[in-house]
Amino acid sequence: KAASGVVLSTFHSFCLRVLRSEIERLGYRKDFTVSSESETRTRLRRVLSDIDGVRDSFSPDLFLERIGMMKNVDGGAQLPPEESEADERYAKWLPEVYERYQSALRAANAVDFDDLLLLTLKLRREHPSVLERHRQRFRYMMVDEFQDTNGVQYALLRTLASHRNLCVVGDD
């Protein structure tokens, strides 16, 4: 009985649970779907096929990788520095591809795996009542494998950790 209020989950499953009950505040329907890896790749291929100059010249997988990096750096659309000339070519098209990809997800009432975190963070930032309810519900938190926490996950923790009751465990 003492542990009945304990929530044990990954960041993504926790955020999915939050969004299932609150996503309508962000303009999505409650019956949203989480896009699988293959659905995500297919959706991006369709987006790329609609953009002249990108259609046959670029790898969808590299765009997916760059979009994931954008979403996980700090919670939105900031690119890490380019590493090569090829990255520069992708960087030129990335803002448009990103915007069209997100629009395609939204039109399908779908989110991708990274959006689970981003949308939960957006929900907390735009709806203080939701954040306060979560702060009251989750007064004590522990994060294992903290060294693997990315920027968005850290931002999610910071929104909740107002009570400073946070324990982290990780390798140096």
Side-chain angles (χ1 to χ4, degrees):
K1 253 189 176 187
S4 65
V6 172
V7 174
L8 182 64
S9 71
T10 65
F11 279 100
H12 288 89
S13 66
F14 178 81
C15 290
L16 177 60
R17 181 183 303 171
V18 168
L19 292 174
R20 285 284 175 219
S21 66
E22 304 283 352
I23 200 163
E24 289 173 309
R25 293 174 184 261
L26 298 175
Y28 289 80
R29 294 186 322 271
K30 266 194 183 205
D31 65 344
F32 74 95
T33 59
V34 179
S35 188
S36 70
E37 195 174 318
S38 65
E39 291 167 332
T40 295
R41 190 169 277 106
T42 298
R43 187 169 281 119
L44 185 64
R45 281 192 184 110
R46 276 191 227 126
V47 164
L48 295 177
S49 72
D50 290 341
I51 303 174
D52 290 331
V54 175
R55 189 173 301 134
D56 299 317
S57 306
F58 295 92
S59 160
D61 290 336
L62 192 49
F63 270 118
L64 282 175
E65 179 183 313
R66 300 295 284 178
I67 288 169
M69 289 170 64
M70 288 171 65
K71 289 182 176 186
N72 285 291
V73 169
D74 71 349
Q78 181 180 343
L79 283 172
E82 283 88 24
E83 297 161 7
S84 69
E85 191 176 311
D87 286 339
E88 258 182 62
R89 289 183 38 228
Y90 279 88
K92 174 184 174 222
W93 289 102
L94 194 53
E96 181 177 354
V97 170
Y98 181 89
E99 184 178 318
R100 287 181 183 219
Y101 170 71
Q102 288 303 119
S103 292
L105 282 170
R106 187 70 181 248
N109 196 45
V111 300
D112 67 17
F113 200 61
D114 295 320
D115 286 334
L116 294 173
L117 304 178
L118 282 176
L119 291 174
T120 302
L121 186 58
K122 181 178 181 179
L123 180 69
R124 289 182 179 164
R125 287 178 173 165
E126 294 180 3
H127 299 277
S129 64
V130 172
L131 174 58
E132 190 53 37
R133 194 168 58 248
H134 290 174
R135 283 180 174 165
Q136 294 305 313
R137 169 70 176 89
F138 303 103
R139 293 183 57 91
Y140 301 93
M141 296 176 292
M142 191 210 124
V143 178
D144 193 16
E145 300 294 334
F146 187 73
Q147 77 277 0
D148 296 332
T149 303
N150 67 31
V152 178
Q153 292 166 337
Y154 183 71
L156 283 165
L157 286 173
R158 286 190 52 109
T159 63
L160 276 184
S162 66
H163 303 295
R164 299 185 188 259
N165 295 326
L166 174 64
C167 173
V168 299
V169 178
D171 298 329
D172 55 2

